[in-house]
Amino acid sequence: MSATGTAAPSGPMLSRRALVGATLAMPATAILASATARAEPSKPAMKVRRLLWAGILVEVGDVAVFIDAVPPETNEPAPTDLFDTTKGQRFAIVTHYHGDHFDHDLVQQKLGANGTLIAPREAAMFMDLRSLKVQTAETWQPVFLPRNGADIVAWPVPAVDGFGAPQSSWILDGAGRRIFHGGDTQWHGNFTAIGRAYGPFDAAFLPINGARQNVGRFVDAGIPAVLTPEQAAIAAEQLRAKLIVPIHYGGNDPPSYLEIDHPLERLQASATARRLPVKTLTTGEILTL
């Protein structure tokens, strides 16, 4: 019992004055760390999943963007959940209309009734757009995904197709990260301009197989229609990319489609000489930026 006849508390208790004194005695760094931990929510991330051939799936917040998504060929191994996403707002971007970069049925299936296909204006006129909601895009002009939220901002930028088809490469920006997707462009003079205007990039997804085609009206003249590994490394340097992720390789069907020998090894050697890291993703593997 206390002198006033009331029961004393069973456990230790600090007065307000003692509590303030104890707080003041705490190191300032500890107080700051505690406040920061309470104030800062977890930072959003950009997740990029390697699909097939040149395809990737980019996810930020509740937005999913398929780029150059195509289904597996007959007997081509692929995870059954490769194209699955839980994101509610879905978009598909294409670099051009060739069948190894755009598949109408897969895009329609993955977008559902509410998703939107984003296509370069000049390429859209050659594409099968039945039952698809389409937004065309102009070179250098931003596209907001979604329009009212802009979790991701995309820009089509110049590219050169080895067979004369209209083509764009794409920049995607979201969650404080920025990537470049090259489609299957060959070498051109705009890499430096893109790097200066939009770089640096956290990652550049670049074609590397230096393909040549010898079928129909396309007669192989020995000139690569797609970036070679060495050209891809130089392009990444001009883009000011922090990381190279190779795409568009691993398909060789002579004499009609000719891929250069050892594209991954040649890319690694050229990138190492320029002190650029390379990350090779397996099908279905996710890169978190």
Side-chain angles (χ1 to χ4, degrees):
M1 296 287 288
S2 67
T4 59
T6 58
S10 58
M13 181 177 292
L14 289 175
S15 67
R16 287 192 297 270
R17 182 179 298 174
L19 183 60
V20 171
T23 302
L24 292 175
M26 291 175 64
T29 53
I31 298 174
L32 180 60
S34 176
T36 301
R38 291 194 303 271
E40 288 188 359
S42 58
K43 293 183 178 179
M46 175 184 284
K47 294 187 177 181
V48 186
R49 182 189 307 167
R50 175 80 193 279
L51 301 179
L52 298 161
W53 197 231
I56 62 174
L57 169 61
V58 182
E59 295 181 326
V60 174
D62 192 39
V63 176
V65 180
F66 295 89
I67 303 181
D68 284 1
V70 294
E73 296 181 358
T74 304
N75 299 324
E76 182 179 12
T80 57
D81 61 349
L82 180 62
F83 301 99
D84 289 354
T85 179
T86 60
K87 305 306 181 182
Q89 302 188 74
R90 302 180 186 183
F91 302 87
I93 283 176
V94 290
T95 58
H96 61 301
Y97 64 85
H98 288 162
D100 60 337
H101 292 258
F102 171 65
D103 184 273
H104 170 275
D105 293 346
L106 177 66
V107 168
Q108 183 181 45
Q109 178 187 5
K110 296 309 170 184
L111 290 182
N114 298 318
T116 302
L117 172 70
I118 314 295
R121 180 182 56 81
E122 292 184 352
M125 66 181 68
F126 296 96
M127 299 167 60
D128 178 1
L129 303 176
R130 292 168 299 157
S131 305
L132 292 172
K133 185 165 61 175
V134 181
Q135 178 179 350
T136 59
E138 301 288 343
T139 304
W140 302 111
Q141 298 303 307
V143 180
F144 299 100
L145 310 175
R147 292 180 182 177
N148 61 341
D151 288 9
I152 294 177
V153 182
W155 292 265
V157 291
V160 176
D161 184 85
F163 308 106
Q167 178 173 167
S168 295
S169 294
W170 284 85
I171 296 164
L172 267 66
D173 181 283
R177 298 292 183 264
R178 183 166 288 194
I179 64 171
F180 177 91
H181 185 280
D184 68 358
T185 187
Q186 62 182 167
W187 181 263
H188 59 80
N190 274 299
F191 289 116
T192 299
I194 295 168
R196 181 64 182 89
Y198 295 97
F201 294 95
D202 294 283
F205 294 78
L206 294 170
I208 65 165
N209 72 341
R212 309 190 319 272
Q213 191 161 313
N214 191 32
V215 64
R217 64 186 174 89
F218 301 107
V219 178
D220 177 25
I223 299 174
V226 179
L227 289 177
T228 66
E230 293 78 14
Q231 289 173 337
I234 298 170
E237 188 174 54
Q238 294 188 359
L239 289 167
R240 298 194 291 155
K242 302 174 184 177
L243 177 69
I244 304 173
V245 182
I247 59 173
H248 202 279
Y249 65 92
N252 196 37
D253 186 25
S256 61
Y257 188 88
L258 306 172
E259 177 177 279
I260 62 172
D261 294 331
H262 311 297
L264 286 175
E265 292 83 351
R266 288 173 55 174
L267 174 67
Q268 186 63 67
S270 187
T272 298
R274 289 169 171 76
R275 299 183 180 179
L276 287 170
V278 175
K279 174 66 175 177
T280 301
L281 298 177
T282 59
T283 301
E285 186 175 358
I286 293 174
L287 174 66
T288 300
L289 297 171

